[in-house]
Amino acid sequence: HQCLAMPSCKQVLLRTTTPAIFLTIVFANIFIGIWYMNHISNNGVTDQDMNAHLMDMQSNYYTNAHTSIIQTQQQKPYGEEDITTITIASQLPSCIESKENCRYDDVGDFLESRVREAVIHEPLPCVPSHRRIPHSKANDWPYILHQREIPPQDGSMTALMDYNAMLLPLYRNTEDGGITSDLDPVLLDRLTGRYHSYFTDEDVDRVKYLSISRTSNLHSCKPRFKFHFGTTPQDFLGLSLLDEKLKRIEGTDVAVNVDKWLLGDGQAIFFDFQILAARSTRDNPLRDQLFMFATGHRGTFFMPVDIRRMPPISEESSSSSSTMALSWESKLSSRPVPPSSEYQYGDGIQIRFMDNPGLVGKRNVAYRYFNLRGVDRGKNFHVFESKDGDTLMEVWPFGKENAHHVTPIDFFGTKFEPGTKLEFFVNRTNVYAKGRRYEIKFENLIKSKAGTPKPSFINITPRHERPYKRYRGTSQLIDLKLNNTDVKVGISHTVHGLKHDNSTAKRTYLSQFYAFLPYAPFETVAVTGNFCFNHMDEHDTGYSAQWISQRPIANRTSPNLIMWDEVRCPRITFATGMAEMIGNGGKDAIITYGVDDCYSRSIIVPKKKIEMLLLGTSNPLNASKRDYMK
C-alpha cells in the first residue's frame, strides 16, 4: 500500500512484475482495505495496529506469490562455528522470463540483490598523501584537474587512483568443505610470510588472496580530461594481501613503478597488470612460479616474477638476519626492487622481475623490450588448464570468426635468467600488416568449430565502437557446471560507441558471461546477453575510504542515456577479476571490476546465479554441441 503511493517504488514494482501480478496485488490491497475498515469499526482496532498487520500480510503475500527461494549455508571463517543462512532469489529477472528486451542494468541488480555487501577496495595506504585527492576536495573540479598537470613533467607529483584490481586466491575449496592449495609450499610460504620468523602462525593463516591492481594518474573520476592532457602518465603495479573477508592486511601493500625500474626514467609503457601462478617444473604437480602479464600501448608483455611478504623496515633493521639476504629458492636470479624507494612506495611486499634494470638501453625502449618479452599486439589474455592438464592461453573468447581462439603455452624451464629470451609459445611468428605495424600469428592456434550460441537473453543490440573487436576478454576464468557438464566461465566485454545525439557518454562498457568446454576444441556452449555492473553504493564495505564518496549521489552515479533508454550503467565497468571465493564450499564467485578508471569494486555472486543467466529459460547446450560433450 505504501509502495503504491510512491512513484519511484511503483516504477520498480511495474518493472519487476508482470501486469497480471501487479493488478492482482492492487485488487488484493483494495479487498484487504475494505475488509479491515469493517473490522476496525466492529472491533475497535487502532490505525497503528491495522497498518502493521496490513504490511505483514502484504509482505507475506508478495513473497509467497512471486519469489522462489534457495536456502544455502554460509560457512564462517576459521574459528567461528555458527552458520548463517543466506537466501538467494532464484527467479530470473522478469525480462528474461518473459523473453523481452532486458535493460543493461537489470542483470547487474540481479547479480548483487544485496545478499551480501559489496567491497570497495580502499586506496593503497603506502601511496603518500600528497599523491591523493583529499575527501574535502571531492567537488573541487579545478583542483582535481590541476592534480593531473602539476609539475614536474615526469608526473611524480600527480594524484593517483587505484582501479582494475584482480584477486589471486592462494587456496581452493575441496569437496568435503575444506580448503587446500595448488601452490608449491615454497611459493605459498613466500606469499604468506611463513618463510620468515617475524610472522606468527596467526599472521600467516590470515592471508587468503593476493590483490593486483593498477595505480595510475590517468583516471575518469570526473572531471574528464583528454588522454594526452597534463604531465607524463604514471602507472604503478599495486600489490597487497587480503584476508577471507577481502580486507587488506595491515602493512602488506606496495605500489611499484615497473616502467622506471625496468626501462628507466620517463618511460610510460605498462599500465594494466595480471599475475597468475603456473607449473614451471614438469615433475612437480603444484604451481611453483608466478608470471605477470603487463599490458602496454605496444601490446602485452609477459615475464616470470617473484613476490614475497616482508617485515616492516623498522622491524627488519633490528633483526639479526636481513630479509634482503635471504634466499628466494626460485628460478630467478635478478635483483629485487628496493622497498620504500624511488621505484616503490611501501615495504610490506618485495618483488623482483625476470630482468634487471637497464637491459634494453635508452633508445627504442618499448620496441626492443617488446621483442624480448612481448606476447601479442592485443591485450586481455587469460591462462587456464584443460581437463587433460594442459596449459593454454585464451586469445579471443568468442565471436571473432565465430570461434573461440586458444593456443598452448609452455611455462616449463629450469632457470629464468635476466636478458634470456623465452619461447612460451610454439611456432609464433611476426606478420607485417597495416602499414609498418606488425602483428603476432600463433601457428598452433586452436579454433572451435561449432560457432557461437545465441545469447541466453536479449537486449537492444549495442552499437559496437570497434565491430571487429566487439567480444574481448576481460576476467579470469572459473570452473562451473551447466546441466551437470563441466565448463570454464569468463566475462567478455564490448565498448558501445554512442555516435548519436541521444546519449550522455561517447562510450559505455558492456559485459557478457560465456562458457566453454574444458577440452579441445574448447567449444563455446553458452553466452548471456549484455549487461553492466553497478556503481559504488553507500552500503558497500570501504565506501567512505574513497574520496569520490563525498560527491552528491546524483553526480557520482549519474545515469547514461543509451539509445533513448536511461540506464544506471557506469561509463566504464571493466571486470578484470573473477575467482572462486574461498569458503562456503566453493558456491560463490568474486567478481572484481574497475569503475570509470577510478576505483575497484568486488561483488560476491553465488555461482548459481551465473549458471541461471547462462542457461536463461532454455538449455543453450544445444544439439550442435553434442559431439563435443561426449
Side-chain angles (χ1 to χ4, degrees), residues 134-401:
H135 281 51
S136 60
K137 296 291 187 180
N139 298 292
D140 189 341
W141 287 21
Y143 173 86
I144 296 170
L145 283 173
H146 179 60
Q147 297 311 298
R148 176 64 189 89
E149 61 178 350
I150 189 170
Q153 184 59 36
D154 66 359
S156 58
M157 295 296 288
T158 52
L160 298 174
M161 316 295 160
D162 307 297
Y163 55 92
N164 289 2
M166 63 160 285
L167 305 183
L168 176 64
L170 305 188
Y171 302 90
R172 65 170 174 84
N173 299 291
T174 58
E175 293 182 358
D176 61 0
I179 63 172
T180 187
S181 181
D182 289 330
L183 303 183
D184 184 270
V186 174
L187 174 58
L188 182 63
D189 289 353
R190 283 203 301 262
L191 291 171
T192 60
R194 194 179 298 277
Y195 77 100
H196 199 288
S197 59
Y198 174 82
F199 299 107
T200 66
D201 288 343
E202 183 179 359
D203 294 333
V204 169
D205 293 339
R206 197 178 159 199
V207 181
K208 295 296 184 294
Y209 303 90
L210 173 67
S211 173
I212 302 98
S213 62
R214 174 181 179 179
T215 299
S216 177
N217 64 0
L218 296 176
H219 67 87
S220 298
C221 298
K222 295 183 181 178
R224 293 182 58 198
F225 48 79
K226 294 182 179 180
F227 184 79
H228 297 290
F229 168 79
T231 63
T232 302
Q234 275 202 339
D235 288 282
F236 293 72
L237 164 63
L239 298 171
S240 57
L241 299 175
L242 309 182
D243 64 15
E244 72 277 0
K245 297 182 179 179
L246 309 187
K247 180 179 175 59
R248 181 178 295 119
I249 297 172
E250 301 81 3
T252 66
D253 59 290
V254 297
V256 183
N257 192 331
V258 183
D259 283 305
K260 188 169 186 175
W261 174 251
L262 287 178
L263 306 178
D265 291 328
Q267 299 299 323
I269 308 300
F270 310 115
F271 47 83
D272 275 325
F273 303 94
Q274 179 188 163
I275 290 178
L276 59 97
R279 293 178 55 228
S280 69
T281 306
R282 295 189 184 278
D283 59 356
N284 187 353
L286 298 175
R287 301 174 184 181
D288 58 352
Q289 183 63 56
L290 298 177
F291 294 86
M292 181 181 77
F293 282 110
T295 301
H297 299 296
R298 180 164 290 274
T300 297
F301 300 76
F302 188 69
M303 66 194 78
V305 297
D306 280 343
I307 296 173
R308 65 182 176 187
R309 188 178 182 181
M310 286 269 290
I313 288 180
S314 58
E315 299 290 337
E316 178 64 15
S317 60
S318 60
S319 177
S320 58
S321 61
S322 172
T323 302
M324 299 290 286
L326 290 177
S327 170
W328 286 80
E329 295 186 50
S330 87
K331 299 178 180 181
L332 274 64
S333 59
S334 54
R335 302 200 307 271
V337 180
S340 298
S341 65
E342 60 179 312
Y343 307 103
Q344 175 179 306
Y345 293 126
D347 59 6
I349 291 178
Q350 189 178 47
I351 185 171
R352 64 176 178 176
F353 305 94
M354 179 177 176
D355 300 313
N356 286 317
L359 178 65
V360 294
K362 298 182 179 180
R363 298 184 61 184
N364 298 322
V365 173
Y367 174 81
R368 294 172 66 184
Y369 202 64
F370 186 82
N371 284 343
L372 189 65
R373 301 283 173 254
V375 174
D376 189 82
R377 295 303 301 269
K379 59 180 181 177
N380 304 329
F381 304 107
H382 303 99
V383 173
F384 68 95
E385 287 188 2
S386 72
K387 195 170 185 178
D388 298 327
D390 298 324
T391 305
L392 303 108
M393 185 181 77
E394 186 180 58
V395 179
W396 209 270
F398 64 93
K400 185 175 182 180
E401 302 174 356

Side-chain angles (χ1 to χ4, degrees), residues 392-461:
L392 303 108
M393 185 181 77
E394 186 180 58
V395 179
W396 209 270
F398 64 93
K400 185 175 182 180
E401 302 174 356
N402 200 28
H404 183 212
H405 294 201
V406 167
T407 189
I409 184 170
D410 182 359
F411 291 113
F412 296 121
T414 55
K415 286 289 184 181
F416 300 127
E417 297 292 347
T420 305
K421 189 168 185 177
L422 301 176
E423 294 296 342
F424 293 111
F425 305 94
V426 180
N427 297 330
R428 187 187 59 154
T429 58
N430 293 337
V431 178
Y432 289 85
K434 297 182 181 180
R436 298 177 60 185
R437 173 173 173 161
Y438 67 86
E439 297 178 349
I440 304 297
K441 182 178 180 181
F442 297 98
E443 300 291 345
N444 287 12
L445 194 66
I446 302 170
K447 297 182 182 181
S448 60
K449 301 175 182 179
T452 302
K454 292 182 179 179
S456 58
F457 58 85
I458 58 175
N459 311 102
I460 296 175
T461 303

Side-chain angles (χ1 to χ4, degrees), residues 22-34 54 58 61:
F22 178 70
L23 289 174
T24 302
I25 295 173
V26 171
F27 285 119
N29 274 282
I30 294 173
F31 174 79
I32 293 170
I34 293 172
L54 262 174
Q58 182 174 318
Y61 174 81

Side-chain angles (χ1 to χ4, degrees), residues 3 6-17 22:
C3 177
M6 300 170 59
S8 60
C9 183
K10 184 166 66 176
Q11 289 175 6
V12 173
L13 196 58
L14 281 167
R15 279 180 49 202
T16 55
T17 60
F22 178 70

